[in-house]
Amino acid sequence: MENSEISNTVLNCISLSEPDVEKSVVLLKQACLDSGFFYVVDHGISQEFMDEVFLQSKKFFDLPIKEKMKVLRNEKNRGYTPLLDEILDPDNQVHGDYKEGYYIGIEVPEDDPQANKPFYGPNQWPSDDILPRWREVMERYHNEALRVAKEVARIIALALDLPSDFFDRPEMLVEPIATLRLLHYEAARASDPSKGLYGAGAHSDYGLITLLATDNVVGLQICKDRNAIPQVWEYVAPLRRGFIVNLGDMLERWSNCIFRSTLHRVVLDGKERYSIAYFVEPSHECIVECLPTCMSESNPPKFPPVTCAAYLSQRYMDTHADLSSYQNHTKVGSD
């Protein structure tokens, strides 16, 4: 059960150019305790460049399916994810998500020993003949988004009563698992929660934080209390020149559930929608365990320690289609 009337939520807005760091810490901490969602502005990425990234994303998704299947998602989760590939809420979804996507990770050459790790390796790229400059634009955006994420992480550290450089350590965000995902929700694919049809099913993100850039089409909804009956869903309005930022499950584990990783989904009325998500996780070997500032005798650790790589690998396996299901499609697409 859920509410039938859905209103807009109000989120705190954090400026990365704010000279009063304590003000930003207070706003962020309030947001993390309330919903785990907030806006970030003045991040240093020009609107002109953001428009270019969205344009290049649209160019890829406009390609014939045969071309897109040539760069189908591989075992490293790099490349194209077709419509219905992902099912985020199997208890309530009739089909998979009515979206297609494209994963781009940190580029690691195939002959580099690091490429043997999950989520590391060479990216898949559309042919330069078909999409000139596409790789150049996406790699630049990946680097810019990581810079922004590290700035946000410094404020989060202060909000958790940790040193501001806590997440700058080698085992944290010096060699992160950072993944850019382009997303496209097709027109005429209207969502209907009563029938189990969603642009993206209800879920929480897996990692540390997510930066989301969107077009001007409303669709993202959050549920601040997943255990409420009925669940209360609220729309998050798009913000031009800003990111919608949310906390992931890893940060919730780290903070011993003091900070929130909130349930969210995409519900659309049939309008086409584009968004760009940037998922940030620490290094493969990082041990995610309760922070010393988040435990006490009355609030002992709620979760056992886990490595970042093991946790992420299981979460991806739980939500994505088996690649063998695309065997016939890839044969057709590689002609």
Side-chain angles (χ1 to χ4, degrees):
M1 292 181 62
E2 60 182 68
N3 58 316
S4 55
E5 294 295 324
I6 298 181
S7 59
N8 282 352
T9 192
V10 177
L11 299 181
N12 285 352
C13 189
I14 291 145
S15 168
L16 295 185
S17 65
E18 170 60 58
D20 185 352
V21 177
E22 185 56 34
K23 177 182 176 182
S24 297
V25 171
V26 170
L27 284 171
L28 184 141
K29 187 168 187 174
Q30 184 184 53
C32 293
L33 294 171
D34 175 50
S35 68
F37 273 77
F38 50 93
Y39 294 118
V40 163
V41 296
D42 303 321
H43 44 67
I45 303 178
S46 72
Q47 189 59 46
E48 180 184 22
F49 181 59
M50 290 300 306
D51 292 343
E52 176 68 13
V53 178
F54 273 95
L55 175 63
Q56 294 296 336
S57 173
K58 184 178 187 305
K59 284 182 178 180
F60 173 79
F61 290 120
D62 282 347
L63 292 174
I65 186 64
K66 181 177 177 179
E67 285 297 327
K68 291 185 283 192
M69 291 301 284
K70 289 179 180 178
V71 284
L72 177 69
R73 172 178 64 89
N74 59 21
E75 70 283 351
K76 295 283 189 175
N77 284 295
R78 307 293 180 92
Y80 175 61
T81 54
L83 204 67
L84 308 181
D85 175 82
E86 194 173 11
I87 182 161
L88 292 165
D89 186 12
D91 291 339
N92 293 302
Q93 284 181 265
V94 175
H95 305 296
D97 292 353
Y98 279 105
K99 70 175 190 289
E100 54 182 346
Y102 199 98
Y103 282 118
I104 301 167
I106 291 176
E107 185 73 24
V108 178
E110 202 163 6
D111 57 359
D112 188 314
Q114 292 272 72
N116 294 320
K117 296 178 178 179
F119 309 105
Y120 265 22
N123 284 300
Q124 300 196 83
W125 300 106
S127 166
D128 246 3
D129 295 335
I130 297 173
L131 293 177
R133 293 188 60 250
W134 201 85
R135 175 175 179 173
E136 175 191 336
V137 169
M138 296 307 163
E139 287 190 322
R140 178 185 163 191
Y141 181 74
H142 197 294
N143 290 333
E144 288 286 307
L146 182 57
R147 173 188 58 76
V148 174
K150 288 180 177 180
E151 290 186 43
V152 174
R154 292 182 189 114
I155 304 174
I156 290 173
L158 292 171
L160 288 167
D161 298 319
L162 298 166
S164 62
D165 62 354
F166 178 81
F167 292 108
D168 291 332
R169 294 182 296 170
E171 69 272 24
M172 296 287 184
L173 296 181
V174 172
E175 291 186 349
I177 302 171
T179 304
L180 166 62
R181 194 178 190 194
L182 311 174
L183 294 164
H184 173 226
Y185 300 83
E186 293 186 347
R189 297 277 187 179
S191 304
D192 187 342
S194 68
K195 295 180 180 177
L197 303 176
Y198 300 90
H203 65 286
S204 55
D205 288 349
Y206 315 148
L208 182 65
I209 58 172
T210 303
L211 309 181
L212 182 72
T214 73
D215 60 14
N216 61 0
V217 177
V218 175
L220 177 64
Q221 297 179 349
I222 64 172
C223 175
K224 294 179 183 178
D225 183 359
R226 67 179 68 201
N227 297 316
I229 300 175
Q231 288 184 333
V232 177
W233 289 91
E234 300 172 277
Y235 277 110
V236 176
L239 182 65
R240 185 169 170 81
R241 301 183 183 277
F243 286 110
I244 300 166
V245 181
N246 65 281
L247 310 185
D249 295 343
M250 274 190 199
L251 190 52
E252 185 172 84
R253 289 176 73 108
W254 249 319
S255 72
N256 213 21
C257 295
I258 293 173
F259 280 5
R260 305 276 303 281
S261 176
T262 294
L263 210 59
H264 53 285
R265 66 188 187 184
V266 175
V267 174
L268 297 165
D269 61 2
K271 292 178 183 175
E272 188 174 36
R273 179 177 183 261
Y274 290 88
S275 64
I276 301 170
Y278 191 77
F279 304 101
V280 183
E281 288 92 28
S283 72
H284 293 77
E285 295 79 18
C286 180
I287 305 293
V288 180
E289 58 185 338
C290 184
L291 296 166
T293 57
C294 298
M295 69 171 89
S296 64
E297 283 189 16
S298 60
N299 187 29
K302 295 178 173 63
F303 306 99
V306 64
T307 66
C308 177
Y311 183 75
L312 284 180
S313 295
Q314 186 59 53
R315 293 295 298 270
Y316 272 83
M317 284 173 57
D318 289 344
T319 55
H320 287 72
D322 191 314
L323 288 171
S324 63
S325 65
Y326 294 116
Q327 192 169 2
N328 292 335
H329 292 282
T330 52
K331 286 178 180 177
V332 172
S334 58
D335 287 347

